[in-house]
Amino acid sequence: MRLDVLTIFPEYLAALDVSLVGKAAQSGLLDVRLHDLREWTYDRHRTVDDTPYGGGAGMVMKPEPWGEALDAVAPPDGPTQPRLIVPTPAGRPFTQALAYELAEEPWLAFACGRYEGIDARVAAYAGERMRVDEVSIGDYVLNGGEVAVLVMVEAAARLLPGVIGNPESLAEESHSGDGLLEYPVYTKPVSWRGHDVPEILLSGNHGKIAEWRHEQSVSRTAERRPDLLAAWGDVLAGKGDADA
Ligand SMILES: COc1ccc2nc(C(=O)O)sc2c1
């Protein structure tokens, strides 16, 4: 998978060079390319923003640098085009299902906004030749898209074959597999500062352990994410697909 990230803070994406994503890049599973948007500015101050039409606070990212950057990274006459992801508070929610979708893409490009956002015509222009998704990682507002890109790249890249050591662990994670939150996990020592590992986990009875873990997942989901349990209820009642 090729990943292009367009940003005015390429150093923000240095985290992509470490850990599993970094190893995936070094092994050739990922081809990560960072681009400084200011490469496509030509004034002395390398200006990327201007005041908003219609007034209002803050500044808006100018369309010209973005248009030239997108054309340089993904030439309009190129044989293929990337799927462009634009992190924005106004985007659709980023979910594990979308992470799986992105993991299937051969080429992703991410446009990191700053200030009050990117001139809306940039997404419209890109949409003339590539799929564009405006996506939010949650109901809070960041200062820019870079952190959201780190989140989305990690969530998608770890799903690529060969990136994580034990693919079986993917099936038991929160928001994967059965759509419930993950059960609590324990390791040695069996007793620690007055806290003991639940007896059932020491029993060796794999059927009972699986039952206990499922009960823990259901109770955690009911307590912390009743919305997910509602989706599960619909599935159990034959009304839909919890993965939707
Ligand atoms: C201006 O660019 C931004 C600003 C805030 C922001 N917040 C996001 C989020 O997913 O919460 S993405 C994003 C991009």
Side-chain angles (χ1 to χ4, degrees), residues 43 81 176 180 204 216 244:
D43 64 300
Q81 294 292 322
S176 293
L180 295 171
Q216 290 292 310

Side-chain angles (χ1 to χ4, degrees), residues 54-140:
M59 302 291 272
V60 173
M61 297 193 93
K62 295 162 56 65
E64 299 96 326
W66 281 106
E68 291 196 29
L70 286 170
D71 289 355
V73 168
D77 59 354
T80 61
Q81 294 292 322
R83 181 172 178 176
L84 179 66
I85 308 296
V86 185
T88 168
R92 69 184 178 109
F94 181 67
T95 62
Q96 189 65 15
L98 183 51
Y100 274 103
E101 250 190 67
L102 298 187
E104 294 294 321
E105 294 288 347
W107 185 9
L108 291 174
F110 293 88
C112 299
R114 279 275 151 174
Y115 310 104
E116 298 308 310
I118 303 171
D119 184 300
R121 291 170 291 181
V122 172
Y125 168 71
E128 291 169 358
R129 69 172 189 269
M130 60 186 83
R131 179 172 174 175
V132 180
D133 295 273
E134 297 191 45
V135 180
S136 168
I137 62 167
D139 293 340
Y140 38 76

Side-chain angles (χ1 to χ4, degrees), residues 9-183:
F9 293 124
E11 63 277 14
Y12 225 114
L13 282 300
L16 292 181
D17 293 337
V18 299
S19 186
L20 287 173
V21 174
K23 288 193 179 73
Q26 284 142 30
S27 68
L29 277 172
L30 282 178
D31 171 12
V32 181
R33 305 182 193 192
L34 303 181
H35 309 276
D36 184 344
L37 184 69
R38 295 190 197 273
E39 281 180 36
W40 292 279
T41 62
Y42 308 103
D43 64 300
R44 190 154 62 95
H45 298 293
R46 312 195 75 191
T47 307
V48 292
D49 64 313
D50 204 336
T51 54
Y53 275 120
M59 302 291 272
V60 173
M61 297 193 93
K62 295 162 56 65
E64 299 96 326
W66 281 106
E68 291 196 29
L70 286 170
D71 289 355
V73 168
D77 59 354
T80 61
Q81 294 292 322
R83 181 172 178 176
L84 179 66
I85 308 296
V86 185
T88 168
R92 69 184 178 109
F94 181 67
T95 62
Q96 189 65 15
L98 183 51
Y100 274 103
E101 250 190 67
L102 298 187
E104 294 294 321
E105 294 288 347
W107 185 9
L108 291 174
F110 293 88
C112 299
R114 279 275 151 174
Y115 310 104
E116 298 308 310
I118 303 171
D119 184 300
R121 291 170 291 181
V122 172
Y125 168 71
E128 291 169 358
R129 69 172 189 269
M130 60 186 83
R131 179 172 174 175
V132 180
D133 295 273
E134 297 191 45
V135 180
S136 168
I137 62 167
D139 293 340
Y140 38 76
V141 182
L142 307 168
N143 287 328
E146 287 80 5
V147 168
V149 169
L150 289 174
V151 166
M152 290 189 269
V153 167
E154 175 154 323
R158 66 193 298 276
L159 300 175
L160 295 174
V163 173
I164 66 167
N166 174 18
E168 286 174 22
S169 61
L170 292 176
E172 296 195 333
E173 294 176 331
S174 294
H175 307 295
S176 293
D178 58 13
L180 295 171
L181 298 186
E182 206 168 331
Y183 48 78

